[in-house]
């Protein structure tokens, strides 16, 4: 098995979104907590490697012989913990993720999705106890956590850019809209 040319995080997330990357039925469910997702993004922003992935290229003629699942885009601790079955139409090949599902799902959720876990003391039967949150980066301050460099947090804000108590937060997924960063 040969190593492939590295791709960008944006390319990986786009391939998940377009269902080029899918999960085989042998994969466990997504189990990462927000803190783990934040640590992954902190590692990326710091320039640390996040490891390699193991892919299985499934030819179009064979993809109906196996069960595949989509990546979760809107994780919900109570209502959406299970990956939905992938409806793979068309003639194209797919790439099944054999190793790296937790990291790729975390990237997908942090950049294109939401994470809803129960608020502290929230009633399990109340929808209000599970607000959808997106990942934000504080542009004005570094993390106060000695293990992290960047101040990242999941927030319920709806705006791409939020100013609060002297801090300046930007939704991390907004980076996908950048097309030209200049020289």
């Amino acid at each position: 098995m040969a190593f492939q040319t590295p791709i960008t995080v944006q390319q990986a997330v786009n391939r998940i979104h377009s269902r080029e990357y899918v999960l085989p039925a042998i994969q466990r469910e997504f189990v990462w907590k927000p803190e783990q997702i934040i640590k992954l993004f902190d590692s990326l922003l710091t320039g640390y490697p996040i490891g390699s992935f193991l892919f299985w290229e499934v030819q179009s003629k064979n993809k109906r012989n196996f069960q595949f699942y989509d990546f979760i885009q809107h994780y919900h601790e109570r209502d959406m913990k299970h990956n939905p079955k992938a409806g793979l139409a068309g003639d194209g090949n797919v790439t099944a993720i054999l190793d790296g599902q937790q990291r790729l799902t975390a990237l997908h959720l942090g950049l294109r999705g939401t994470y809803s876990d129960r608020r502290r003391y929230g009633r399990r039967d109340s929808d209000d106890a599970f607000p959808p949150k997106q990942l934000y980066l504080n542009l004005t301050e570094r993390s106060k956590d000695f293990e992290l460099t960047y101040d990242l947090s999941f927030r319920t804000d709806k705006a791409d850019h939020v100013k609060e108590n002297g801090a300046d937060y930007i939704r991390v997924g907004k980076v996908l809209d950048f097309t030209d960063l200049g020289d």
Side-chain angles (χ1 to χ4, degrees):
M1 181 180 300
F3 280 96
Q4 298 296 312
T5 304
I7 62 171
T8 66
V9 171
Q10 182 176 16
Q11 289 170 320
V13 170
N14 287 344
R15 289 177 185 175
I16 290 169
H17 190 70
S18 66
R19 289 186 168 152
E20 292 175 58
Y21 287 174
V22 293
L23 299 169
I26 60 171
Q27 280 287 11
R28 67 182 176 149
E29 294 177 346
F30 181 68
V31 296
W32 276 21
K33 301 293 180 205
E35 299 79 26
Q36 292 169 288
I37 298 171
I38 286 168
K39 285 180 181 179
L40 177 68
F41 275 88
D42 186 75
S43 293
L44 281 170
L45 290 168
T46 306
Y48 297 145
I50 61 167
S52 59
F53 300 92
L54 181 60
F55 296 138
W56 169 31
E57 186 72 28
V58 181
Q59 302 296 315
S60 178
K61 65 182 180 183
N62 295 324
K63 69 183 179 185
R64 301 214 192 298
N65 296 334
F66 304 98
Q67 181 64 60
F68 296 103
Y69 292 85
D70 287 327
F71 283 79
I72 291 177
Q73 182 166 354
H74 301 289
Y75 177 85
H76 192 287
E77 183 181 348
R78 183 190 67 196
D79 297 337
M80 185 56 154
K81 291 173 83 167
H82 307 290
N83 297 69
K85 285 188 178 180
L88 299 177
D91 295 329
N93 298 344
V94 295
T95 301
I97 308 305
L98 298 178
D99 181 48
Q101 178 237 350
Q102 300 294 317
R103 288 171 287 155
L104 286 171
T105 301
L107 291 171
H108 190 233
L109 290 172
L111 291 167
R112 283 188 175 253
T114 59
Y115 193 102
S116 300
D117 55 347
R118 189 166 52 142
R119 282 187 178 162
R120 192 173 192 177
Y121 307 118
R123 290 175 46 109
R124 189 152 183 75
D125 61 351
S126 170
D127 290 340
D128 292 335
F130 297 89
K133 296 179 275 190
Q134 293 180 303
L135 187 60
Y136 282 79
L137 169 65
N138 182 345
L139 297 172
T140 39
E141 296 180 20
R142 291 187 116 13
S143 177
K144 291 176 177 62
D145 183 333
F146 74 93
E147 290 183 8
L148 301 171
T149 302
Y150 294 92
D151 183 15
L152 292 146
S153 58
F154 278 93
R155 301 171 57 95
T156 58
D157 299 301
K158 303 284 188 227
D160 291 333
H161 183 241
V162 178
K163 290 186 181 238
E164 178 182 286
N165 299 328
D168 203 2
Y169 295 93
I170 187 168
R171 188 174 54 83
V172 173
K174 192 72 180 150
V175 73
L176 296 176
D177 295 341
F178 299 159
T179 55
D180 183 18
L181 299 177
D183 293 327

